[in-house]
Amino acid sequence: MNALGQRIATLIETQGPLSVAQFMTIALLDPSDGYYARRDPFGARGDFITAPEVSQIFGELVGLWCVQAWIDQDEPKRAQLVELGPGRGTLMADALRAARLAPEFLTSIDVVMVEASDALRALQQERLRDCGAPVQWKDRFEAGDRPLFLIANEFFDALPVRQFVHTERGWCERMIVADKGVLGFALSPLASAVAVEDDAPIGGVYETSPAALAIAEEIGHAIARKGGAALIIDYGYDRPGFGETLQAVGRHRFKDVLDAPGEIDLSAHVDFTALAAAARRGGAQTFGPVGQGRLLDALGIGARAEKLARLNKNEASLVAGAVDRLASPEQMGTLFKALAILPPHTPTPPGF
Ligand code: SAH
């Protein structure tokens, strides 16, 4: 057990069991030893690779989607373009470069990067130094009082989930316990009131991310009130089910969730049905989710890839490989999904 694991075990031995969500929060965001606080986890040499790191086309198409939504809403001046969990800053850099096609968009927005990790914030600052729009950083999402254009790729999967297991006693929360310094799972002795139907099989697991739902509702509320549009892309499911999806990944391999906290990534599949319902509770309209492949095809990934391949003949096969990775159903095309959040009574956005 590493130093952070020992600290967590001591915390549990003195203060009692932690929920899975509390454990995830510490393992991912502890300021000295948390996973995102310590390192740059992305890319071929890191633990996993995300869509913006696969190809610049991803960020370009997402950027142009935002520009289109902004044009469709009569080009509001003084709007904000927010990214949640920007990683290395690649998505925003590519999006803003593509948005130069609409210079008035760039002069109308302030860019806000919501990032909890100081290490990643430093990478993002470097990346966006000459991006052509004013950029500020925040620790957490606040809707503000201006039209809100928002993008989030693989952010919601990093938010902590609580897990409840269906037992003869009802829904019991899965907790993390410690025995002589060793972390393990246990079920809470008392059942919890959980807002799901009781027809789940015994042993079925219900996962929910209160943090994700709260943010989605706030986004929905802001967009309904002030205008704007959000494009949320992540891996996840779009129908309710009873199964656990919390996973640990290190160096492109699955690991044990409780091993080496802070050294491996923890994430859970996003419940798009619940996320969309939360945004609608906030008053907004939602579209999708649609598969990432379908979205990118509709936004013109094929044409953009051809152009890039023509401009740089040596890289044609790399570009083709990247497109396949992003859009084909066997790769990221269907597991990854996109949800759009718009004000009520606006037409269907491109790709949905
Ligand atoms: N969007 C990027 C990175 C995804 S990884 C990409 O596609 O490559 C998740 C990102 O969310 C990281 O930048 C991580 O530091 C950030 N993050 C995770 N939990 C967060 C939280 N609670 N608040 C703010 N940022 C968070």
Side-chain angles (χ1 to χ4, degrees):
M1 184 62 63
N2 61 20
L4 182 58
Q6 283 165 14
R7 268 208 281 138
I8 295 173
T10 308
L11 180 73
I12 292 171
E13 277 157 10
T14 52
Q15 304 200 16
L18 295 178
S19 68
V20 172
Q22 289 167 319
F23 172 79
M24 270 182 95
T25 303
I26 299 174
L28 292 178
L29 296 178
D30 179 81
S32 53
D33 295 322
Y35 181 75
Y36 285 115
R38 278 160 50 125
R39 58 170 55 69
D40 168 12
F42 313 106
R45 272 172 296 125
D47 290 325
F48 54 91
I49 186 158
T50 58
E53 306 297 337
V54 170
S55 167
Q56 68 185 72
I57 303 178
F58 183 81
E60 291 169 348
L61 296 177
V62 168
L64 294 176
W65 188 92
C66 292
V67 170
Q68 186 64 51
W70 176 80
I71 292 172
D72 289 344
Q73 293 181 37
D74 300 328
E75 309 190 0
K77 304 287 173 247
R78 297 189 27 91
Q80 46 178 341
L81 177 61
V82 176
E83 181 174 359
L84 305 181
R88 282 183 179 166
T90 309
L91 171 55
M92 185 58 85
D94 291 337
L96 293 175
R97 195 183 55 253
R100 287 187 197 152
L101 290 171
E104 328 75 60
F105 175 75
L106 289 180
T107 52
S108 302
I109 53 157
D110 283 340
V111 175
V112 180
M113 307 282 269
V114 177
E115 177 55 71
S117 153
D118 287 339
L120 290 175
R121 207 181 260 226
L123 279 179
Q124 295 155 15
Q125 274 160 350
E126 181 70 27
R127 201 61 198 268
L128 294 183
R129 195 178 293 149
D130 303 311
C131 72
V135 189
Q136 42 173 308
W137 274 263
K138 293 200 173 144
D139 290 333
R140 50 175 51 241
F141 172 64
E142 288 156 26
D145 59 359
R146 304 200 205 164
L148 171 66
F149 295 84
L150 180 141
I151 54 183
N153 185 64
E154 290 208 45
F155 168 75
F156 282 93
D157 68 61
L159 296 183
V161 291
R162 294 176 72 178
Q163 292 185 327
F164 298 87
V165 182
H166 200 205
T167 72
E168 307 286 354
R169 289 172 282 143
W171 288 98
C172 294
E173 182 155 13
R174 184 176 279 162
M175 309 297 287
I176 317 289
V177 292
D179 185 19
K180 302 193 185 67
V182 178
L183 300 177
F185 288 110
L187 288 184
S188 66
L190 294 179
S192 309
V194 169
V196 282
E197 281 148 34
D198 274 329
D199 60 357
I202 293 297
V205 177
Y206 167 65
E207 262 178 11
T208 180
S209 174
L213 301 185
I215 294 174
E217 184 168 341
E218 197 177 343
I219 293 170
H221 188 63
I223 288 177
R225 263 188 21 248
K226 299 285 170 190
L231 185 60
I232 292 169
I233 303 178
D234 224 306
Y235 58 92
Y237 49 99
D238 57 0
R239 61 191 59 129
F242 297 104
E244 56 190 301
T245 72
L246 176 64
Q247 65 186 32
V249 172
R251 306 251 157 220
H252 300 269
R253 292 215 155 68
F254 288 110
K255 302 270 159 107
D256 193 294
V257 167
L258 298 181
D259 267 2
E263 292 176 36
I264 48 177
D265 181 47
L266 299 178
S267 66
H269 288 218
V270 170
D271 180 349
F272 276 100
T273 310
L275 211 60
R280 288 195 298 271
R281 261 199 313 282
Q285 187 182 190
T286 61
F287 296 90
V290 299
Q292 172 170 300
R294 192 179 129 190
L295 174 76
L296 296 178
D297 282 340
L299 298 183
I301 193 172
R304 180 66 182 135
E306 266 176 35
K307 173 124 193 247
L308 280 181
R310 264 204 313 278
L311 288 173
N312 198 341
K313 295 218 164 47
N314 299 337
E315 299 204 343
S317 69
L318 278 181
V319 174
V323 169
D324 189 52
R325 178 139 191 195
L326 291 175
S328 80
E330 301 79 45
Q331 302 218 36
M332 299 171 84
T334 49
L335 174 61
F336 282 74
K337 298 180 174 56
L339 174 74
I341 304 176
L342 281 103
H345 315 302
T346 39
T348 306
F352 285 86

